[in-house]
Amino acid sequence: MPKYATFPLLIDSSVFLSITKLKKTGYLEPFSCKSGVITWYRKEQPIMSASFMVDTVEFPSYIKVSFDYNNEPRTYKITLKPRESNLGKGEYYYFICPYSGKQCRKLYIQDGKILHRTCLKGAMYNLQVRSKKERFIDTKFGAYFEREHILSQSRQKYLKRHYKGEITKRYAKILECFEQASLITEYEYEQLVIML
């Protein structure tokens, strides 16, 4: 009899609800009741969609999410907890996980349930399941492979390079990546090709 697969659930590729996404799309405005549909994609193919309604008029505020799981309709009413911004710029909302009661900014949809990350048993991030060889290559040659992405970051229109006469942390990180990429010799690159 064959063994069952023991592949862990990858958190990075899971379907999730995000406070940040709701705020950016204008659903978390104070004293409003809005509804919409959200669709999740993987490799440009739709994998799941859900309808939702956000109500910040009632107290406590909530989001009602409805979706189908194995041809069964599921509906969850999730409490939204407002918290004052430490910068004095209004309120920030947090989900209250219906299973654990924890406050969070992301809730994951798994096996027809909406859960906090800690409720996903055996779940791991992509970086945690990479082999030692992959991690070594990323540490040694990551800047070399990311140089085009770093170059596009350095050309952003509103990138602040200096603040009060000092280099910003973001720009310093870009310069460090450029320096690491330039230190890789042809011999090291050939060794990398042999390793792959």
Side-chain angles (χ1 to χ4, degrees):
M1 190 162 133
K3 285 172 63 176
Y4 290 106
T6 57
F7 302 116
L9 170 70
L10 295 178
I11 294 172
D12 304 74
S13 57
S14 296
V15 174
F16 63 88
L17 293 170
S18 168
I19 289 284
T20 307
K21 184 90 170 186
L22 290 172
K23 183 142 178 100
K24 280 183 182 176
T25 51
Y27 287 102
L28 281 178
E29 293 176 1
F31 306 108
S32 68
C33 186
K34 296 182 178 181
S35 59
V37 175
I38 187 168
T39 305
W40 292 274
Y41 295 89
R42 188 169 292 139
K43 295 183 181 176
E44 299 177 9
Q45 297 294 320
I47 56 168
M48 185 179 169
S49 65
S51 61
F52 65 91
M53 184 191 73
V54 180
D55 188 348
T56 55
V57 177
E58 286 190 30
F59 184 81
S61 301
Y62 66 89
I63 179 171
K64 194 179 240 182
V65 183
S66 300
F67 59 92
D68 285 341
Y69 177 73
N70 288 341
N71 296 323
E72 276 183 39
R74 302 275 173 112
T75 303
Y76 288 91
K77 187 176 177 180
I78 302 160
T79 305
L80 295 170
K81 184 176 181 183
R83 193 190 280 178
E84 284 292 321
S85 165
N86 63 339
L87 302 173
K89 295 183 177 180
E91 294 180 331
Y92 287 104
Y93 285 97
Y94 289 87
F95 293 121
I96 302 296
C97 174
Y99 288 91
S100 67
K102 293 184 178 183
Q103 290 184 51
C104 55
R105 308 263 305 161
K106 281 185 182 179
L107 284 175
Y108 295 88
I109 300 174
Q110 185 64 34
D111 296 330
K113 298 175 185 172
I114 299 179
L115 307 160
H116 182 263
R117 175 181 47 86
T118 56
C119 297
L120 301 171
K121 299 297 177 200
M124 295 180 152
Y125 289 100
N126 285 341
L127 286 173
Q128 292 175 297
V129 295
R130 295 173 72 196
S131 67
K132 285 184 181 180
K133 184 178 178 181
E134 288 175 321
R135 283 183 265 163
F136 169 76
I137 290 171
D138 191 42
T139 304
K140 183 78 175 165
F141 301 101
Y144 183 81
F145 294 121
E146 292 287 320
R147 62 182 182 221
E148 288 165 18
H149 175 68
I150 296 162
L151 189 62
S152 69
Q153 278 187 341
S154 68
R155 293 180 178 162
Q156 285 181 345
K157 189 174 182 179
Y158 298 107
L159 174 70
K160 281 195 173 186
R161 290 178 169 80
H162 295 84
Y163 181 74
K164 292 186 178 179
E166 292 185 23
I167 293 176
T168 61
K169 287 182 181 178
R170 186 173 179 196
Y171 190 58
K173 192 172 183 181
I174 289 170
L175 291 176
E176 183 184 340
C177 288
F178 271 129
E179 186 178 330
Q180 285 179 352
S182 66
L183 292 176
I184 297 170
T185 63
E186 281 186 45
Y187 175 75
E188 288 176 324
Y189 183 73
E190 288 172 6
Q191 293 299 313
L192 171 65
V193 172
I194 292 168
M195 282 175 68
L196 298 176

